[in-house]
Every structure is written in C-alpha cells, then in structure tokens.
Amino acid sequence: MDIAVICVGNEYRRDDGFGSAVARHLAGHYVLPGNVRVLDRAVMGYAVVPDLMSVKAAVVVDALDGTGEAPGTVLAFDPDDMAGSGEMMSLHEVRFADVLAAARFMGARCAVGRCFGAQIADAGAGALERGLTPAVAAAVKPCAEAVVAYLERSMNCAIERKTGDELEG
C-alpha cells in the first residue's frame, strides 16, 4: 500500500464518529486504486503508527473541535497546522503531526500527510450516544469529495465514481 486514508472516530460519541462515516461514504461511492486503502480507526493515537510504517503518504479524516467555525464546516490542513492542546488529557488528544513524527523516528517512509475534518456540534456526554448531528452528517459527502480531490490532484490517483447499482449505502 502506498497511501492510507486513516479515518478516525468513535461512533459511540455522536459527532466523533465523523471519520468512520466518511470511510463508509468513500467505500460506498468510489472505486479507489489498489495503492490506496481506507482504514477505519477508532482513535488517533500511537496505535496508528503501524498503519504509517508501510505507506508513502497518509490522509487523516477526523472530527474537529475548537476551530471557531460553525458545526459541519469542512477543513483541510497540514498536520503541523493543528495546534497542540498544551496539556495532554488522553491518547485521543495526540496530534497527527506527533504520531507521524513518531512513525518517522521508527523508520516509516511516510513523507506526506494531509488532514481533513469537520467541526463538531456534539461529542456526546457519555458512552453509547450514536448518530451524527444534522450539520456534521451533512459534511460527510463534502469531506469525502475533498479527500478524493486531494488524492486525484496531489497524489495522481485515478478514482472512479460509482453510479447506479454500484452505489452502496
């Protein structure tokens, strides 16, 4: 695999499940080339280092908070653009830039990283709160389209759109 699209999200914490929803949309609406793999991961943390060890490039999709944007706003940025929180409260708050640096330190050849996400409205008050809020659910398709456009433009990937009976979900 040359490119990993790592979609991060906990579907039991409302809008935090955004990355997983984008992963399903990509699988249901696009035929990706053999060198691109969509990975649905529950959390961003050092557990994704093995995913980065075998790729040349990574794209990360995750729910975002604290952007100052309206819920459902889709953003694209480089890993280093994401500001750290100052205090690390849990592994869920590990920045992709830090995970990428750790993977590179361990010998990963992953030289490119790009992040996409949507500002959340509700991360859920506790466990077992499934379902995206309407604004964030509406951002799934535009975010998936932005990921595909990035893969086509910046990674020279030939991606087919599924039509008619080919569409899933």
Side-chain angles (χ1 to χ4, degrees), residues 43-122:
V43 295
M44 172 53 67
Y46 294 105
V48 300
V49 167
D51 296 330
L52 299 171
M53 296 301 288
S54 64
V55 298
K56 290 182 182 174
V59 173
V60 173
V61 179
D62 198 0
L64 305 173
D65 198 12
T67 67
E69 300 292 336
T73 301
V74 175
L75 301 167
F77 51 94
D78 290 325
D80 291 333
D81 292 342
M82 183 181 279
S85 64
E87 291 183 24
M88 188 179 304
M89 301 301 285
S90 74
L91 286 180
H92 295 274
E93 294 184 14
V94 173
R95 298 178 312 145
F96 177 58
D98 297 331
V99 174
L100 187 58
R104 288 178 180 155
F105 178 76
M106 294 169 45
R109 57 190 177 99
C110 187
V112 176
R114 188 78 174 147
C115 300
F116 293 86
Q119 170 62 46
I120 65 167
D122 181 4

Side-chain angles (χ1 to χ4, degrees), residues 12-52:
Y12 292 98
R13 291 196 61 220
R14 300 288 320 235
D15 289 340
D16 190 43
F18 178 74
S20 295
V22 171
R24 285 190 303 276
H25 188 88
L26 289 168
H29 291 82
Y30 298 95
V31 178
L32 300 173
N35 68 325
V36 178
R37 194 159 155 225
V38 176
L39 306 171
D40 188 356
R41 299 292 184 250
V43 295
M44 172 53 67
Y46 294 105
V48 300
V49 167
D51 296 330
L52 299 171

